[in-house]
């Protein structure tokens, strides 16, 4: 859920936050599949390995550091847990080889956050940036309202009516 929204979300965020910095969106990480480099050469091997390598939402290249960024509208803990793995793969990523010695900052962008999740991020060394453009706020509010008592009651009433009417 939310994949096209998350792509728009990350693209807008990096364009706004890092307008003059090189950014790699959907950057594959880690080495290519073993054996392919020898047989096909590095560029083709990396293309062929794309589906077998994890992909971070964005990598921002700054003179003093790299920032690996995951964007999560929901499933925020998933983003936090992925970032340390992604950061560890930077030195083995051919596309980022020239930047391999730069310090790596891990950043999660999300439109909302709980105190518990903020504490998890802090414990993992992940910076959190709340980015909440109006179009995403409307979507988040709608999705969060799904779990309210009123919304659950409305769904239950609708289901009961369908049962009474014999509609599947």
């Amino acid at each position: 859920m939310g994949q096209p929204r998350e792509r728009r979300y990350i693209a807008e965020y990096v364009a706004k936050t890092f307008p003059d910095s090189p950014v790699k969106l959907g950057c594959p990480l880690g080495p290519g599949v073993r054996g392919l480099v020898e047989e096909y050469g590095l560029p083709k091997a990396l293309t062929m390995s794309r589906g077998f390598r994890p992909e971070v939402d964005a990598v921002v290249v700054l003179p003093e550091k790299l920032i690996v960024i995951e964007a999560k509208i929901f499933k925020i803990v998933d983003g936090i847990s992925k970032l340390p793995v992604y950061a560890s793969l930077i030195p083995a990523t051919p596309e980022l080889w020239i930047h391999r010695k730069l310090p790596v900052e891990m950043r999660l962008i999300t439109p909302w956050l709980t105190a518990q999740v903020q504490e998890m991020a802090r414990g993992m060394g992940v910076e959190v940036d709340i980015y909440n453009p109006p179009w995403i706020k409307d979507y988040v509010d709608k999705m969060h309202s799904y779990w309210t008592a009123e919304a659950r009651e409305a769904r239950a009433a609708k289901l009961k009516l369908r049962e009474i009417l014999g509609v599947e």
Side-chain angles (χ1 to χ4, degrees):
M1 172 171 70
Q3 188 72 340
R5 283 183 186 90
E6 284 182 354
R7 289 184 192 279
R8 175 182 173 189
Y9 186 62
I10 187 68
E12 283 184 12
Y13 173 82
V14 294
K16 179 181 175 187
T17 309
F18 304 102
D20 300 321
S21 299
V23 174
K24 296 176 184 289
L25 290 172
C27 184
L29 298 171
V33 174
R34 283 203 174 109
L36 293 180
V37 174
E38 295 78 11
E39 190 170 342
Y40 297 101
L42 185 59
K44 187 167 183 163
L46 291 176
T47 299
M48 293 171 71
S49 298
R50 182 81 188 222
F52 300 98
R53 299 167 70 201
E55 185 177 286
V56 68
D57 290 333
V59 176
V60 179
V61 181
L62 300 176
E64 70 282 3
K65 65 183 172 183
L66 292 177
I67 305 174
V68 292
I69 305 172
E70 267 299 286
K72 291 295 180 193
I73 299 168
F74 296 102
K75 299 186 179 184
I76 297 168
V77 174
D78 288 354
I80 293 168
S81 65
K82 289 178 179 181
L83 282 163
V85 173
Y86 292 165
S88 75
L89 292 171
I90 297 291
T93 302
E95 293 90 340
L96 300 171
W97 180 253
I98 62 171
H99 309 295
R100 71 189 177 282
K101 295 194 180 198
L102 287 174
V104 177
E105 176 184 309
M106 300 176 290
R107 184 178 297 183
L108 173 79
I109 63 162
T110 184
W112 65 281
L113 194 63
T114 64
Q116 294 87 346
V117 174
Q118 176 66 48
E119 193 57 37
M120 287 181 219
R122 190 180 352 268
M124 298 293 289
V126 173
E127 298 292 323
V128 178
D129 197 356
I130 301 295
Y131 179 59
N132 204 3
W135 67 269
I136 205 71
K137 182 182 180 333
D138 293 342
Y139 173 66
V140 169
D141 289 348
K142 179 182 173 188
M143 294 304 289
H144 280 167
S145 72
Y146 181 85
W147 297 109
T148 64
E150 296 83 13
R152 288 193 315 267
E153 289 169 10
R155 287 193 304 278
K158 187 176 179 181
L159 183 61
K160 184 69 172 170
L161 180 60
R162 292 177 69 85
E163 289 173 9
I164 292 169
L165 296 175
V167 178
E168 291 192 29

